[in-house]
Amino acid sequence: MEAKKNTTRVLMVPWLAHGHISPFLELAKKLTNRNFHIYMCSTPVNLSSIKKNVTEKYSQSIELVELHLPSLPNLPPHYHTTNGLPPHLMNTLKTAFEMAAPKFSKILETLNPDLVIYDYNQPWTAQLASSMNIPAVQLLTFSAAVVALGIHMSEDKEEKFPFPEIYLREYEMFSLKKAINESPGKEFPFGEALRRSRDIVLVKTCRDFEGKYMDYLSNLVTKKIVPVGTLVQESTDQAEHEEIMQWLDKKEKSSTVFVSFGSEYFLSNEEILAVAQGLELSKVNFIWVIRFPQGERISIADAVPEVFLERVGERGKILEEWAPQANILQHPSTGGFVSHCGWSSFMESMKFGVPIIAMPMHIDQPMNARLVEYIGLGVEAVRDENGKLQSEEIAKAIRKVVMEESGEPVRKKAIELSEKMNENGEEEIDGVVEELVSLCGNK
């Protein structure tokens, strides 16, 4: 397909994770309504997973462009995504992605877009674009607070981080350093990479609740920080998930929690047991999504004690690998989200007015959990001094958020934030469009 005349043609290159591809795609949809033509570039396995989300409404304005990674040992094509990727292969995937730079260069030459929007850990994308005189802008899918803290920590600034509500406990700091060593990036890549980027940096956030962190980040990297809003994925067809929706229909309003820890974190057996016991003790209805790395022959029956399933009965529903998250969070019966506090999940809770029971696991999630409590969107389940989950504390946090009078301020705040965000949603995109068109005009 060819872009219409006088449209702004943008090549988007997200990192190979669903939590990154999804917001890039949602931004693409919003831009197509404002005279943009989008080329979404990723690996075939990732593109196949988002094809159904590029509905007929967008099919003329969003073009999927395949980027083929080189074949590396233990990394067949179905592993060219972080979704279900065994953790020990993360660095291999990062290496393969970087090795695909020559193929990306050919894509750039062929398409010759007006602009490239790229992700946090791929400076080679911007370098190739710059060599062809194509402006390139980063879209960060993390919170402004987390990025600002990451730069502050990595640059060993003498003064304290000016926002004490966003912090890391000792065991979280240890976990973060371990994750950085095992993840794409090796170190916080934000500081110098952001300073070298073109005039602006796009951040998936809203000024309403992250304004002061955005301003501090802008000062750190001497760039204008432009919020793009929540970029929450559109709901899928409910008819596809009739059984889940019918199960929820039978539950009372706001009586159920949705439990999910994202597509890249896999609970240990010990953690699964703690969550199961917490859900049982809470006496609250639940839908729980459990995921396992690709290639591991584990089933729900292997991971969850049969006696637990018998005791909770119709009060609980366990799904393997995937669930229609947006549909579940929007359902009137859903009254809380037991979440790892990935930034996309944070934003979905906010958009749909569902308070969070925060159980952060690694990387940016602990800082996001602090933000959840600071703005009043939810409650964090207390862990022991070594960072281990405690089933009694999980149950306590769930009951407070969903059932108890003491949780009323959290429930009220979630609705207030949702209403405010949904009222202001399009204003941020209008600002983004103005900045991008101006940047292309200065090409």
Side-chain angles (χ1 to χ4, degrees), residues 182-308:
E182 295 174 354
S183 73
K186 291 280 186 182
E187 58 188 18
F188 266 104
F190 300 117
E192 286 309 310
L194 291 180
R195 294 186 185 102
R196 287 197 299 267
S197 66
R198 291 292 280 261
D199 310 329
I200 63 172
V201 176
L202 305 179
V203 182
K204 178 186 169 181
T205 193
C206 301
R207 180 162 285 279
D208 281 341
F209 65 93
E210 273 218 297
K212 63 181 183 179
Y213 309 120
M214 288 170 52
D215 292 341
Y216 183 65
L217 177 59
S218 179
N219 289 334
L220 283 175
V221 300
T222 62
K223 300 291 175 186
K224 184 174 183 179
I225 305 300
V226 180
V228 297
T230 62
L231 301 184
V232 169
Q233 183 176 322
E234 296 173 347
S235 302
T236 54
D237 183 2
Q238 293 206 7
E240 291 183 33
H241 318 291
E242 188 175 357
E243 182 189 350
I244 297 170
M245 295 300 117
Q246 287 180 349
W247 185 88
L248 279 168
D249 288 342
K250 296 175 185 176
K251 307 304 177 187
E252 294 182 11
K253 183 180 179 181
S254 302
S255 67
T256 304
V257 292
F258 176 57
V259 187
S260 176
F261 298 93
S263 60
E264 294 180 39
Y265 187 83
F266 309 107
L267 297 178
S268 67
N269 290 338
E270 184 182 12
E271 288 169 333
I272 288 174
L273 185 59
V275 172
Q277 291 174 338
L279 290 169
E280 183 177 356
L281 289 170
S282 75
K283 307 295 184 186
V284 170
N285 304 322
F286 63 88
I287 293 181
W288 181 9
V289 185
I290 300 181
R291 296 180 174 88
F292 308 104
Q294 287 188 44
E296 289 195 11
R297 296 183 178 180
I298 303 173
S299 67
I300 297 293
D302 294 329
V304 180
E306 185 177 347
V307 67
F308 164 74

Side-chain angles (χ1 to χ4, degrees), residues 3-7 35:
K4 296 176 184 176
K5 289 184 178 180
N6 301 319
T7 59
N35 207 33

Side-chain angles (χ1 to χ4, degrees), residues 58-75:
Y58 302 106
S59 60
Q60 297 303 308
S61 303
I62 298 178
E63 188 169 348
L64 303 182
V65 179
E66 292 186 351
L67 177 64
H68 294 273
L69 307 191
S71 296
L72 295 182
N74 303 316
L75 200 75

Side-chain angles (χ1 to χ4, degrees), residues 36-53:
F36 281 69
H37 185 91
I38 308 297
Y39 303 101
M40 179 65 67
C41 182
S42 193
T43 56
V45 65
N46 276 324
L47 294 180
S48 67
S49 71
I50 65 169
K51 274 182 182 176
K52 65 180 180 181
N53 294 324

